Amino acid sequence: GLGWTLSQQRQAAAGELGKRVERELADLSMAGARFAVDLRFEESPKGLRLPDGRSAAFDESGLDKVEFLIAPNPGEGLKPLVKIASGGETSRLMLALKNVLTSADEIPTLIFDEIDQGIGGRAGSIVGEKLWQLGAHHQVLCVTHLPQLAVYGDQHYSVRKLVDAGRTITRVAVLDGDARLEELAGMLGAVTETNLKAANESLKKARERAETLQKSRA
């Protein structure tokens, strides 16, 4: 029946999805991480009769119960993503999945928080590049303290908490020009001449890389 055919197609797609997500995770400073999609069904005497003689329960989504599994570090067994992934790992997994599934995903806005957790400057540039590419198909919002990632944003906002008349409020400011360079320099450690030059160079390289990626898509 259609349910069995759909299940077979899902099994084939799950293997390919696992391989492609693992390649993405290697780029995102999770080299050695394993990712898999677990597909299983519950046997039921009142369910759909399968070609192998078993009967499976089903609902509007088909026969399969689907679960994402991950082993973040080499040598660990695959376990349910929802139980063991940290905030930073979950964000990077979401980015990997979105990059792989971007053509099939219609969600308009994606929000990434803590995605820079545990990664350095070089990997931050790769994450920034992937986020920028994802922005061609979705609106992407990213909270980050890593300047190498922040330079890839088409817009840069500063979000600060302050106390006004005894109340804590949040102030959001658009950063551009010198204000953005000063914020990036501050993210590098302090607003010094050296860090301002480094921020300007990083911003320039990110724009050049974005232009190259845009031309390759055309």
Side-chain angles (χ1 to χ4, degrees):
L2 290 176
W4 177 250
T5 301
L6 176 60
S7 183
Q8 296 301 297
Q9 291 174 344
R10 283 173 172 165
Q11 290 284 355
E16 181 62 22
L17 177 63
K19 293 176 185 176
R20 293 178 64 180
V21 168
E22 286 177 356
R23 288 198 293 268
E24 290 284 334
L25 291 176
D27 289 342
L28 299 172
S29 293
M30 290 181 67
R34 293 180 58 215
F35 177 86
V37 183
D38 181 48
L39 295 168
R40 63 182 64 189
F41 56 81
E42 297 176 2
E43 291 195 45
S44 170
K46 296 181 180 180
L48 179 69
R49 188 79 170 175
L50 304 180
D52 61 7
R54 293 177 296 173
S55 295
F58 63 91
D59 56 25
E60 66 275 6
S61 65
L63 307 175
D64 306 291
K65 305 299 180 185
V66 183
E67 186 169 40
F68 288 167
L69 306 176
I70 185 174
N73 303 302
E76 297 180 356
L78 288 163
K79 296 183 177 65
L81 166 62
V82 295
K83 292 184 178 180
I84 68 166
S86 67
E89 289 167 347
T90 300
S91 286
R92 275 179 268 179
L93 274 161
M94 184 62 69
L95 177 54
L97 282 165
K98 294 301 179 182
N99 270 325
V100 172
L101 299 174
T102 183
S103 60
D105 196 338
E106 297 180 356
I107 295 176
T109 301
L110 304 172
I111 301 173
F112 295 93
D113 191 11
E114 296 185 29
I115 198 168
D116 53 14
Q117 187 179 61
I119 64 175
R122 181 172 297 179
S125 295
I126 295 172
V127 174
E129 182 179 314
K130 289 182 179 291
L131 285 167
W132 186 88
Q133 289 178 295
L134 198 57
H137 306 280
H138 309 269
Q139 180 186 47
V140 177
L141 304 178
C142 179
V143 181
T144 182
H145 300 283
L146 200 62
Q148 291 87 350
L149 194 161
V151 291
Y152 276 89
D154 290 327
Q155 284 87 37
H156 191 159
Y157 299 87
S158 169
V159 182
R160 302 183 187 282
K161 286 184 179 180
L162 55 95
V163 178
D164 185 13
R167 293 189 60 191
T168 301
I169 63 173
T170 301
R171 180 166 293 166
V172 181
V174 181
L175 302 178
D176 200 4
D178 290 343
R180 185 175 189 183
L181 287 176
E182 289 178 5
E183 178 69 13
L184 290 168
M187 292 169 78
L188 285 166
V191 183
T192 64
E193 194 66 31
T194 299
N195 284 344
L196 284 169
K197 287 181 179 179
N200 190 47
E201 186 64 23
S202 294
L203 198 56
K204 181 181 176 182
K205 286 182 178 179
R207 287 170 177 168
E208 290 173 350
R209 180 60 181 155
E211 288 176 6
T212 300
L213 292 169
Q214 195 166 30
K215 288 177 182 176
S216 69
R217 286 203 303 252

